[in-house]
Structure formats: structure tokens, C-alpha cells
Amino acid sequence: MTCFDRRDLGLLTLRLGTGGVLFAHGAQKLFGWFSGHGLEGTAQFMESLGYKPGKASALASGLAEAGGGALLGLGLATPAGGAAVVGGMAGAAAVHAPNGFFNTSGGYELPALYGLVGAGLAVAGPGRISLDHVCGHRLNRTWMVPAALAAAAAGATAAVTSRSREQRASEDAAAAPDAQEPMQETSQDE
């Protein structure tokens, strides 16, 4: 008989809670569930935030949250699930960073927390009450943790950098005075 210890129960609780919340948030973006806006509405919102193209950004964000959350909740491919959450939350944190840290001011507190939990679970592993354990940890090897986190960091860096460039270009265009005044038409009779 297998006896689960406090660590296994704690990891299960953390995985189910965090994974469930992230899955629901991603399902809002992808499917419009739980009063969400679905892929089209999320795509328009992502465009307004500077993540372009909006539909691809919405799909990536929704998959990172729903997919990463589901994997964490199930304890399956835990390094990949945790890394997906880290990458998605890095993109969200970039949006909220100008508002400071605390959520009460619209800051990056919650994305940072979810990202840290995703990273912590990727590193710690899912515990024995998990599909990874049932499957012999085929998708939860030690080497997979740094590989998955590095891939997530590269993807998030590319997305956030692209967004920053887009925002700078928009700000520069808005701040620049009209260099070309519309030419007034003159008639040949003058």
C-alpha cells in the first residue's frame, strides 16, 4: 500500500488550486467560458496592449494558461506545464509592470505569483499523487526542467520585446509633429 506524505498532499493542493485557476483563465480567452471574451475578443484586447498579431498572441496566452494550468493540475509533463505558466505570466507581468507591484493598483503581483508557483512546481515536481508518477515520470525528467524553462524564457522575451518595440513606435508616431503638412492646391488661374 502506498502512503502519501504531507509533501505529496501539499503539492497536490498547490497544483490543483493553481492549475484550476489558470485553466479557467485560459478557457476565458480561448473559448469564452466563465464570462470570458473568447479568442476573437481576446485577440482585439491583445492588439490594444501591443501584442501583435492579436489572434496569435491570444492563442499563445490562452494555451499557456489553460494548457499549462491543466498540465499542472493533472501533474502531467510538469516541467512543460510549469514553464508554460512562467512564459504566459511573464507576458502578463509586462503589461501590468507600469502600474507597480500591487494588484490593487493594477500591478504585476498576481502574474508574478502565478509565475513563481509555476516555476516552483516545475522544479519541485508534482509529487506521487500525479499522472507523472503513474507514467513513470517519462515526461518529468530532471533535464526537462531547465530545457522547458529556457524555452519559456526565450519565447516570453521575444514576445515582450516585440511588444515594447510596437509601443515605442506608436509613441514616437504620436509624439512626432506632422512633418508633412498637406499641400494646398492652387489653381492654375492664379
Side-chain angles (χ1 to χ4, degrees):
M1 179 175 154
T2 303
C3 182
F4 301 113
D5 62 17
R6 289 172 51 193
R7 180 181 181 275
D8 294 318
L9 293 172
L11 287 169
L12 175 65
T13 303
L14 189 58
R15 286 189 0 253
L16 288 175
T18 304
V21 168
L22 288 166
F23 175 81
H25 198 64
Q28 286 181 310
K29 290 178 177 171
L30 294 174
F31 313 118
W33 296 356
F34 314 112
S35 302
H37 298 287
L39 197 54
E40 292 302 321
T42 303
Q44 292 173 4
F45 181 64
M46 295 298 269
E47 285 266 347
S48 76
L49 295 175
Y51 284 112
K52 295 183 180 181
K55 193 160 194 173
S57 298
L59 183 62
S61 179
L63 288 174
E65 292 172 2
L71 290 174
L72 286 180
L74 295 169
L76 179 64
T78 303
V85 168
V86 169
M89 293 302 105
V95 171
H96 293 277
N99 301 322
F101 177 73
F102 291 103
N103 188 53
T104 53
S105 301
Y108 63 94
E109 177 182 9
L110 286 177
L113 176 63
Y114 289 136
L116 287 170
V117 171
L121 288 169
V123 171
R128 289 183 290 177
I129 310 171
S130 66
L131 289 180
D132 273 336
H133 183 73
V134 170
C135 296
H137 294 279
R138 286 187 185 96
L139 300 174
N140 182 37
R141 305 281 187 206
T142 301
W143 66 267
M144 293 175 179
V145 176
L149 290 172
T157 299
V160 170
T161 301
S162 175
R163 175 181 179 261
S164 294
R165 281 191 202 119
E166 181 68 34
Q167 285 184 312
R168 276 195 302 276
S170 294
E171 289 169 1
D172 290 348
D178 291 337
Q180 296 179 359
E181 292 288 327
M183 297 189 73
Q184 295 179 353
E185 292 185 26
T186 57
S187 67
Q188 292 186 345
D189 293 338
E190 292 182 318

